[in-house]
Amino acid sequence: MRVEPLPGVPAATVDTDGERLLAVADYHAGIEAGLRYEGVELKSAAADRRERLLTCLDRARADRLVVVGDLGHAIGDPFDDERAELEALFDALDVPVTLVKGNHDGSLEPVLSDLPADIEVTPGHGTRIGSVGFAHGHTWPAPDVLEADVLCVGHEHPVVRLEDSVGGAQKERAWLRGSLATDPFAEQFDQPVDDAPDIVVFPAFNDRSGGTWVNVDGQEFLAPFLPEGMTDAEAFLLDGTRLGAYQQV
């Protein structure tokens, strides 16, 4: 597998096309400003997010950072706090960045274009870097992205509910890994998908962004191709604990 989670954090190394990438999804810079707009007051964790990401880059010895969508948080024009967080983040980065546009990134390009940084922004339907495909997941990945060996997606913020023997419960972010089910994609694009890649659904890097409870009845996935678009998917905790089939956790 060319995509390997870094133990203990919602980030993965990706070795492809002669580069080592660090991939994260759902950074949601400026989320506190968005929550404040909804009436929730939280102290900004921008500095902590930035330091955690820089630490991950150092651990991975990465040549490039790939953000698998939702680098920012505001759906429309970024809040002032979001702009400031992004400016501080890119001032601290010393590697090029690829942003795979997510549903929260629609108005980020003018902001990013003003920064003195090496930033590539790809369409929302995704991109391939060597043999690995990346798509945020809010829309269908393009057919050429599905030709990758591994497809990385975000958007879901998958979490699992874990219960103990006395009825206590806790929420944990999780990775989902399985095989792509080709039928939904063949129907969507009206063409066969010959070689199904593996699919990896990333946990949210931002620990304040909520998530999809993948093992709780009545919860629905957000991506238009999930869960029908993956088979034999298993859940893994950030520390690497293998939980087995996500529906049975």
Side-chain angles (χ1 to χ4, degrees):
M1 177 70 77
R2 294 179 174 86
V3 179
E4 291 294 340
L6 279 176
V9 292
T13 59
V14 182
D15 292 304
T16 184
D17 202 29
E19 283 189 308
R20 166 155 282 202
L21 318 176
L22 180 81
V24 301
D26 299 288
Y27 190 87
H28 286 278
I31 190 172
E32 292 83 8
L35 293 174
R36 191 180 310 124
Y37 184 79
E38 299 172 5
V40 180
E41 290 288 341
L42 289 175
K43 182 179 179 181
S44 174
D48 174 68
R49 279 189 291 273
R50 181 174 64 251
E51 290 308 311
R52 286 193 291 117
L53 182 59
L54 294 175
T55 298
C56 290
L57 284 164
D58 287 342
R59 286 179 58 189
R61 298 181 181 178
D63 304 306
R64 173 179 295 274
L65 171 66
V66 178
V67 181
V68 193
D70 287 0
L71 170 63
H73 182 70
I75 295 290
D77 290 336
F79 302 105
D80 289 344
D81 287 355
E82 181 176 330
R83 292 172 181 265
E85 180 172 349
L86 290 172
E87 289 173 1
L89 172 63
F90 281 94
D91 280 345
L93 291 173
D94 60 0
V95 294
V97 177
T98 297
L99 169 61
V100 184
K101 284 184 73 172
N103 53 305
H104 284 254
D105 297 322
S107 301
L108 272 193
E109 284 178 89
V111 177
L112 299 179
S113 65
D114 290 337
L115 300 178
D118 186 352
I119 309 168
E120 173 193 16
V121 181
T122 80
H125 57 63
T127 190
R128 280 175 54 192
I129 302 177
S131 59
V132 180
F134 299 92
H136 181 57
H138 64 299
T139 189
W140 292 81
D144 66 300
V145 177
L146 299 178
E147 295 175 2
D149 293 338
V150 185
L151 173 64
C152 299
V153 299
H155 190 52
E156 291 297 340
H157 309 190
V159 293
V160 292
R161 176 184 170 90
L162 301 178
E163 296 185 1
D164 60 29
S165 58
V166 295
Q170 64 184 45
K171 178 180 76 173
E172 295 286 349
R173 284 176 287 177
W175 300 85
L176 300 180
R177 304 179 73 155
S179 299
L180 197 78
T182 58
D183 287 350
F185 296 91
E187 181 178 350
Q188 172 69 17
F189 297 116
D190 195 26
Q191 65 183 60
V193 177
D194 296 326
D195 297 316
D198 292 323
I199 182 169
V200 180
V201 184
F202 278 53
F205 190 83
N206 192 312
D207 57 5
R208 291 179 164 176
S209 58
T212 299
W213 296 85
V214 299
N215 66 330
V216 175
D217 291 339
Q219 292 284 299
E220 296 184 357
F221 281 72
L222 301 174
F225 51 87
L226 294 179
E228 295 81 6
M230 62 182 179
T231 63
D232 305 321
E234 294 188 315
F236 298 80
L237 297 182
L238 298 189
D239 65 6
T241 301
R242 182 179 185 176
L243 300 177
Y246 73 88
Q247 310 96 319
Q248 299 171 14
V249 174

